[in-house]
């Protein structure tokens, strides 16, 4: 094992979190080394540009995603099952390589609701403690929306997010999301105009008394934007290749075109590719160094004054468990926090409509070109008589109908043959959908640990996931389905599919749902029930910061990226404070 030269800060994973922290720390004068387990290929690499619109290569075969042949996850639905490995990508798609999942995301950039950060307290205050199922382990974040708002603002102005404020310093603004927490200023970029399907949704929602607004988007609409760091990006060309693809023109904000160039420009940021981190060497009180396999499979040791885990949820948690940092969660004894409160995103309850005389140019689009309502998200509606906690965002978007995976046909159409081909021809450009994305509450039986049976290509245990759908989420999805169907009926297409939503008998890891995995290294105000404080600094090792969606005590009804970005800016500030004091931050 070779020991490398010590650095000020080592960052594990160079995606949104790693890029933001590297940019902020190098601007402050620190030497930062980024370790990325994938390649360092960027947007301008020749083969990437030449194959940009290869749907088979990127969307189906997963060019930018984790290779499950080398490292995967195991899944069990309850403690009595034996977990089995996921042999191929399905339910979620973690990224690998420079920029991570921040390269292939859609660009939907939400802020969580103020209530989301105080979910347990707010629920008890409104409905009483008996309203919370006994097996549900939701908890407050240890930080409030108002405390996090400046970091949300910083992320949005760095990324050039387009949208319309619905709450400016407490004043409700029609046309924006009137349910959102107060913003200190307007979005940096105006939203795009409504698509034809968005106009249909807006009218139907307004007629029903709801509050439609444009979805916040990291896809720059019809404008060039220069951010506070001096990074300039051009407008989206609506090619329809956002989700599962990088952006060929850099119009979609991603780490490789925003924060990483800022860090590199300082001359104080270095990167090493094919560096597969597996542990933090520590004395039980502080981290001394990071251990990783290099491209040849040889173990290397990288000492640093500060260690930042900025990788995906599963990798951050597995590194802590392999390092024996923090106390592993025990669901039977109810002790420990590392691995606790694994959550996901609850989908379903959507509706679709097919038109015989309308065309929508669906081949055009952007990942976050959408309109939505928030009337059924969080606790924006009275749950007292509904028998469940939580809600979700309702949206209708146009992300681009690619030729392999976007052939929607009406119910009753044969799965193949002449009639299927006729239906594809007739309805390819004449269908719209309304989707629901729901909260995923935490449960005592939903967690991450090390699998005792299965190992990766280096011989280290895989992460084992314990997760399933619970009665609370089944009730939520059933309710959501009635609302999306109501909206679709108001739009009045010729053919409608929808109704009371339902979830499968068990969580199915083979079907894509979202790459919104959360929890396992949760934040909080109490070291007994959380892994990190509200600066994302470990209670048990103050020079180790663990940052990302792994910090969420439970997941909200929105995409997580905006909140992950805000937490990354908060963590960068915390690291600089720690460097001055050398003490835990409180």
């Amino acid at each position: 094992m070779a020991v490398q030269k010590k650095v000020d800060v080592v960052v594990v994973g160079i995606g949104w979190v790693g890029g933001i922290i590297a940019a902020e720390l190098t601007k402050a004068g620190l030497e930062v080394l980024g370790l990325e387990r994938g390649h360092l290929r960027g947007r301008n690499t020749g083969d990437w540009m030449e194959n940009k619109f290869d749907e088979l290569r990127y969307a189906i075969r997963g060019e930018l995603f984790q290779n499950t042949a080398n490292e995967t996850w195991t899944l069990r639905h309850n403690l009595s099952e034996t977990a089995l490995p996921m042999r191929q990508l399905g339910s979620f798609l973690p990224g690998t390589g420079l920029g991570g999942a921040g390269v292939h995301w859609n660009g939907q950039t939400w802020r969580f609701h103020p209530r989301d950060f105080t979910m347990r307290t707010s629920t008890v205050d409104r409905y009483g403690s008996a309203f919370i199922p006994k097996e549900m382990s939701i908890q407050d974040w240890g930080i409030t929306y108002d405390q996090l708002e400046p970091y949300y603002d910083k992320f949005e102005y760095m990324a050039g997010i387009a949208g319309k404020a619905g709450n400016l310093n407490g004043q409700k603004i029609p046309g924006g999301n009137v349910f959102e927490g107060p913003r200190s200023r307007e979005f940096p970029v105006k939203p795009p105009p409504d698509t034809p399907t968005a106009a249909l949704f807006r009218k139907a929602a307004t007629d029903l008394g709801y509050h439609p607004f444009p979805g916040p988007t990291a896809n720059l609409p019809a404008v060039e934007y220069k951010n506070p760091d001096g990074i300039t990006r051009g407008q989206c060309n609506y090619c329809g290749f956002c989700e599962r693809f990088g952006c060929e023109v850099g119009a979609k904000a991603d780490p490789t075109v925003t924060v990483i160039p800022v860090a590199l420009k300082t001359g104080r940021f270095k990167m090493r590719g094919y560096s597969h981190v597996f542990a933090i060497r520590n004395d039980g009180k502080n981290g001394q160094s990071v251990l990783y396999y290099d491209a040849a499979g040889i173990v290397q040791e990288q000492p640093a004054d500060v260690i930042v885990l900025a990788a995906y949820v599963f990798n951050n948690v597995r590194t802590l468990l392999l390092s024996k940092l923090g106390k592993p969660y025990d669901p039977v004894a109810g002790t420990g926090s590392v691995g606790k409160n694994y959550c996901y995103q609850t989908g379903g309850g959507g509706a679709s409509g097919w038109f015989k005389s309308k065309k929508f140019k669906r081949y055009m689009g952007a990942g976050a070109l959408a309109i939505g309502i928030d009337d059924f998200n969080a606790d924006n509606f009275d749950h007292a008589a509904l028998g469940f906690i939580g809600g979700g965002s309702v949206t209708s978007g146009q992300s681009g109908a690619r030729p392999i995976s976007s052939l929607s046909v009406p119910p009753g159409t044969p799965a193949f043959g002449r009639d299927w081909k006729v239906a594809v021809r007739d309805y390819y450009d004449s269908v719209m959908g309304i989707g629901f994305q729901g909260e995923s509450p935490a449960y005592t039986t939903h967690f991450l640990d090390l699998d005792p049976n299965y190992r990766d290509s280096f011989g280290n245990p895989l992460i084992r996931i314990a997760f399933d759908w619970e009665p609370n989420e089944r009730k939520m999805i059933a309710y959501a389905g009635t609302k999306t169907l109501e909206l679709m009926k108001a739009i009045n297409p010729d053919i409608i599919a929808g109704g009371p939503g339902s979830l499968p008998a068990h969580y199915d890891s083979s079907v894509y749902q979202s790459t919104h995995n959360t929890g396992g290294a949760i934040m909080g105000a109490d070291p007994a029930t959380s892994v990190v404080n509200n600066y994302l600094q470990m209670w048990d090792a103050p020079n180790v910061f663990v940052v990302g969606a792994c910090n969420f005590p439970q997941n909200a009804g929105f995409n997580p990226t905006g909140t992950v970005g805000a937490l990354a800016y908060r963590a960068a500030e915390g690291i600089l404070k720690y460097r001055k004091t050398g003490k835990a931050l409180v």
Side-chain angles (χ1 to χ4, degrees), residues 15-16 37 39 48 52 58-59 62-66 89-108 219 240-248 252-256 312 366-368 399 402 512 514-517 559 561:
W16 268 126
R37 69 177 182 175
H39 51 67
W48 191 91
K52 165 65 180 68
Y58 287 97
E63 175 80 8
L64 300 176
F65 312 145
Q66 179 171 317
L89 291 169
S91 178
F92 43 82
L93 306 171
T96 287
L98 186 66
V103 170
H104 69 75
W105 73 312
N106 261 329
Q108 298 181 34
N219 318 122
F241 287 76
C242 264
E243 182 184 25
R244 309 189 184 196
F245 300 82
C247 179
E248 67 168 343
K252 178 176 68 175
D254 80 49
T256 70
Y312 202 71
S399 59
R402 299 186 295 270
Y512 184 74
S514 77
T515 308
H516 301 166
N517 316 83
N559 302 59
T561 307

Side-chain angles (χ1 to χ4, degrees), residues 494-582:
D494 296 289
I495 303 170
I496 294 177
S502 64
L503 290 166
H506 292 287
Y507 163 66
D508 182 359
S509 66
S510 67
V511 180
Y512 184 74
Q513 290 149 74
S514 77
T515 308
H516 301 166
N517 316 83
T518 69
I522 62 176
M523 61 190 294
D526 184 352
T529 59
S530 57
V531 177
V532 295
N533 62 23
N534 65 25
Y535 280 102
L536 302 317
Q537 178 188 41
M538 285 197 75
W539 298 108
D540 297 337
N543 74 327
V544 177
F545 289 73
V546 187
V547 192
C550 61
N551 302 138
F552 297 7
Q554 54 273 325
N555 203 8
F558 282 137
N559 302 59
T561 307
T563 301
V564 168
L567 292 177
Y569 277 110
R570 171 85 174 175
E573 181 180 295
I575 292 167
L576 293 174
K577 288 184 176 182
Y578 170 76
R579 286 278 296 181
K580 291 181 179 180
T581 66

Side-chain angles (χ1 to χ4, degrees), residues 131-152:
F131 199 71
I132 302 175
K134 63 179 181 179
E135 66 277 8
M136 190 179 283
S137 57
I138 57 174
Q139 63 187 65
D140 295 352
W141 288 51
I143 195 170
T144 65
Y145 170 86
D146 289 341
Q147 289 175 297
L148 202 57
E149 197 280 334
Y151 308 99
Y152 272 126

Side-chain angles (χ1 to χ4, degrees), residues 470-503:
E470 303 292 347
N472 183 85
E473 290 75 79
R474 296 184 187 281
K475 292 177 183 178
M476 179 177 66
I477 291 299
Y479 178 79
T482 65
K483 299 304 178 181
T484 58
L485 179 61
E486 173 192 44
L487 280 160
M488 190 58 77
K489 286 181 176 178
I491 292 171
N492 195 32
D494 296 289
I495 303 170
I496 294 177
S502 64
L503 290 166

Side-chain angles (χ1 to χ4, degrees), residues 69-92:
N70 297 328
E71 179 189 336
T72 186
W73 319 269
T74 67
L75 171 69
R76 54 180 176 165
H77 296 113
N78 55 64
L79 300 184
S80 64
E81 285 187 353
T82 298
L84 296 174
M86 303 180 193
R87 298 296 188 184
Q88 60 186 24
L89 291 169
S91 178
F92 43 82

Side-chain angles (χ1 to χ4, degrees), residues 34 37 47 69 123 132 134 164 170 230 237-238 251 269 303 325 389 403 440 554 571 583:
R37 69 177 182 175
D47 67 328
T123 301
I132 302 175
K134 63 179 181 179
K164 169 66 178 172
N237 60 16
Y238 299 100
F269 181 47
L325 262 181
I389 293 171
S440 179
Q554 54 273 325
K583 298 179 181 179

